[in-house]
Amino acid sequence: MRPMSDILDALRADVPGLQLLTDEIDRESYRRDEALHHEPGLPLAVALPRSTDEVAAIVRIAAAHRVPVVPRGAGSGLSGGSSGIEGAVTIALTRMDRILEIDPENRVAVVQPGVINADLKAAVAREGLFYAPDPASYEFCTIGGNIGTNAGGLCCIKYGVTREAVAAVEVVLADGAVIRTGGRGVKDVAGYSLTQLMVGSQGTLGIITEATLRLRPAPQRSQTVLAFFPTMAAAADAVTRTMASGVTPCTLELMDRFTIAAVDDWHRLELDRTAEALLLIESDLGGPAAEAEIASAEAACRTAGAAEVVRSTDPAEADWLRQVRRMAYRALERLGACRMEDVAVPRSRLLDLLAEIGTIAERHQVRCGTFGHVGDGNLHPTFVWDRGDTASEERVEAACQELYRAAMGMGGTLTGEHGIGATRVHLLAEQRGSEAVRVMQRIKSALDPHHILNPGRVLPLE
Ligand SMILES: Cc1cc2nc3c(=O)[nH]c(=O)nc-3n(C[C@H](O)[C@H](O)[C@H](O)COP(=O)(O)OP(=O)(O)OC[C@H]3O[C@@H](n4cnc5c(N)ncnc54)[C@H](O)[C@@H]3O)c2cc1C
């Protein structure tokens, strides 16, 4: 085995001009993503390439030295997917942050992976277009990270997850070869869909260096309903009734009492703190169609027993209400150490999942605020404990394992949108079955025979 310094010498010699961070303090800042409960390693170096050629050269050199690489966007992931691996090179794509083209005729945008989601949304909005994927982290997460995790967010109920928006990618493979998948047309069934294989693979099959993303016409001004419920059962019933009424709002989000109080304490919004749950329902159809959609949702909430229903037609206020929901995690973080989970079930099992979350938190004597994309059946139970209280942290760990199994037992998943990453690898086979995981391992070995790309993430180390 060659000394570690060899690869640094090779990177400096063969990729002139490459920004390479090797100071310990710099490397420390790339050790973690937002999955703070996971113990990652310290990268040997952090490379900040500016072009596909540089990424390809780095991967070729890493492969020759059998040194793993970890692709990284903004590091806002919640599954340890872009956290450091001891002795590996982290490749941060944040300097590749150009929007290369907006093509209104084909309704696509071509971007580098380091573009921030919110910047793309703003740029296409100036052309009367809309980039739909909308994770609550949209102001700081990158398109590369969104594709890496197949990110969800607040609009999936209507517009689907990131996968729906990815038409093509340019990818650097494990040997440094560069391929392009897909195209900008509406139809294309030539061969296997390598685009879809890359989406959600968390940097384990290739490094995305460019993406062609589908755009939509800009939606109309939002109308929003905020409904407060005396019980969680009533809120779940309102979700069922809203969907049964035949409408598809663009947002259908939930916050429980604990989360409402945390958000209200932070921003003094005068939310109803006696309510057990709040639903945020939004329509972007505009005009009479939005009016009808919101009226249906409002009626569903009232029939289900909402104590208070507030409607907003002012777009600024609607934006602000959505921002309130986006604040949920940061509001809970103010209370102590936090672990945000990400289970999802078919909508018909939502009430069972909500009840089980309460039971699990009680059994393990841990505080939990639940919020999330209830219209997708995707909830973020977030456990909170005093920093440094290791006994509570252990109880939270036990509660999370039970939570995963409860969701899987209801025909759901241990992760709806954050990814298996490094933190949930041990349960992948339990959800998918060992045969399915073997197929995934064969795909991984075919594309990355020396397991250079983000090893130990998504799939267990073999
Ligand atoms: C407050 C908060 C709210 C959030 N809300 C949501 C939400 O609503 N919905 C949601 O889905 N997520 C949410 N997240 C999680 C996170 O923001 C998303 O997973 C996001 O997609 C990560 O983007 P990133 O740029 O930070 O990627 P990173 O965290 O850096 O990386 C994520 C994964 O993608 C891989 N990756 C990164 N770039 C590339 C690339 N160019 N090629 C190949 N692989 C790559 C990494 O290896 C890693 O496995 C939230 C996080 C926070 C902190």
Side-chain angles (χ1 to χ4, degrees):
M1 181 141 169
R2 285 183 267 188
M4 287 294 197
S5 57
D6 274 12
I7 183 175
L8 299 182
D9 292 343
L11 286 169
R12 287 188 187 108
D14 297 349
V15 198
L18 173 67
Q19 189 173 3
L20 195 63
L21 307 179
T22 52
D23 277 2
E24 192 172 338
I25 292 175
D26 290 334
R27 292 185 287 132
E28 272 297 343
S29 60
Y30 288 83
R31 186 193 278 271
R32 296 179 182 282
D33 61 7
E34 291 258 357
L36 298 179
H37 58 285
H38 157 66
E39 219 23 80
L42 182 64
L44 170 72
V46 178
L48 292 138
R50 289 187 184 274
S51 67
T52 301
D53 285 349
E54 284 191 354
V55 176
I58 298 164
V59 173
R60 249 192 318 273
I61 292 166
H65 288 76
R66 299 283 191 270
V67 169
V69 297
V70 177
R72 181 173 170 116
S76 73
L78 288 153
S79 65
S82 67
S83 60
I85 293 177
E86 196 68 35
V89 174
T90 290
I91 304 180
L93 283 307
T94 43
R95 298 283 155 92
M96 293 177 66
D97 61 353
R98 280 185 303 131
I99 297 172
L100 301 171
E101 187 186 349
I102 296 173
D103 169 0
E105 196 177 354
N106 292 304
R107 285 200 192 145
V108 295
V110 183
V111 304
Q112 290 187 312
V115 170
I116 301 290
N117 180 305
D119 292 343
L120 177 61
K121 274 187 195 299
V124 304
R126 289 192 285 274
E127 309 279 329
L129 293 165
F130 175 51
Y131 178 63
D134 187 39
S137 51
Y138 82 119
E139 283 166 315
F140 46 89
C141 64
T142 67
I143 295 298
N146 294 170
I147 298 174
T149 54
N150 188 19
L154 279 74
C155 294
C156 305
I157 185 168
K158 179 164 181 178
Y159 296 114
V161 292
T162 297
R163 170 164 283 134
E164 258 71 61
V166 184
V169 284
E170 177 188 79
V171 192
V172 173
L173 299 176
D175 59 359
V178 181
I179 60 163
R180 299 184 79 90
T181 73
R184 37 182 98 182
V186 174
K187 291 183 167 176
D188 184 350
V189 290
Y192 300 135
S193 176
L194 298 180
T195 312
Q196 299 306 328
L197 182 62
M198 290 297 159
V199 178
S201 63
Q202 296 207 260
T204 60
L205 300 178
I207 302 182
I208 291 147
T209 46
E210 190 185 292
T212 303
L213 303 169
R214 294 202 187 283
L215 306 174
R216 297 166 181 269
Q220 302 294 312
R221 287 177 161 203
S222 290
Q223 287 201 31
T224 307
V225 160
L226 206 56
F228 295 87
F229 296 86
T231 63
M232 209 39 114
D237 187 31
V239 173
T240 307
R241 286 176 188 276
T242 300
M243 297 312 288
S245 74
V247 300
T248 308
C250 63
T251 305
L252 179 36
E253 295 283 312
L254 172 131
M255 281 175 14
D256 73 352
R257 185 181 182 136
F258 189 80
T259 313
I260 295 170
V263 171
D264 201 48
D265 280 341
W266 191 12
H267 287 282
R268 311 262 169 235
L269 304 167
E270 295 182 21
L271 300 173
D272 178 0
R273 300 169 68 119
T274 64
E276 280 303 320
L278 160 170
L279 288 183
L280 173 74
I281 309 174
E282 213 178 334
S283 171
D284 62 2
L285 291 175
E291 180 63 35
E293 192 162 64
I294 286 297
S296 286
E298 213 175 69
C301 291
R302 289 193 197 283
T303 310
E308 192 188 351
V309 181
V310 188
R311 192 198 283 214
S312 164
T313 50
D314 172 10
E317 193 175 60
D319 272 359
W320 179 82
L321 288 172
R322 180 181 271 242
Q323 203 55 27
V324 167
R325 155 58 190 91
R326 287 192 179 114
M327 284 170 197
Y329 180 54
R330 296 299 187 213
L332 291 169
E333 273 189 326
R334 293 174 74 243
L335 306 180
C338 264
R339 174 157 165 183
M340 189 196 321
E341 284 303 339
D342 175 42
V343 285
V345 293
R347 263 200 304 266
S348 56
R349 301 300 304 272
L350 261 174
L351 185 53
D352 298 327
L353 178 62
L354 285 161
E356 195 57 28
I357 293 167
T359 308
I360 290 172
E362 207 173 297
R363 187 162 46 243
H364 292 277
Q365 294 289 294
V366 286
R367 290 185 294 164
C368 180
T370 296
F371 59 91
H373 320 296
V374 70
D376 307 329
N378 181 198
L379 296 173
H380 297 312
T382 300
F383 297 96
V384 183
W385 67 98
D386 293 338
R387 289 181 219 289
D389 176 356
T390 48
S392 289
E393 195 172 350
E394 278 165 23
R395 290 202 302 279
V396 165
E397 177 63 39
C400 289
Q401 302 307 316
E402 270 184 39
L403 179 67
Y404 298 147
R405 295 203 160 90
M408 289 190 275
M410 292 176 199
T413 174
L414 71 157
T415 174
E417 55 181 23
H418 295 165
I420 289 289
T423 55
R424 302 181 180 92
V425 169
H426 63 293
L427 284 177
L428 182 65
E430 204 170 304
Q431 180 173 327
R432 293 284 180 227
S434 49
E435 269 312 311
V437 171
R438 259 198 292 282
V439 172
M440 294 183 205
Q441 270 158 343
R442 287 207 289 272
I443 293 171
K444 166 78 175 167
S445 295
L447 290 181
D448 180 15
H450 301 300
H451 290 218
I452 297 294
L453 296 169
N454 221 358
R457 277 77 200 267
V458 183
L459 292 169
L461 288 170
E462 282 181 84

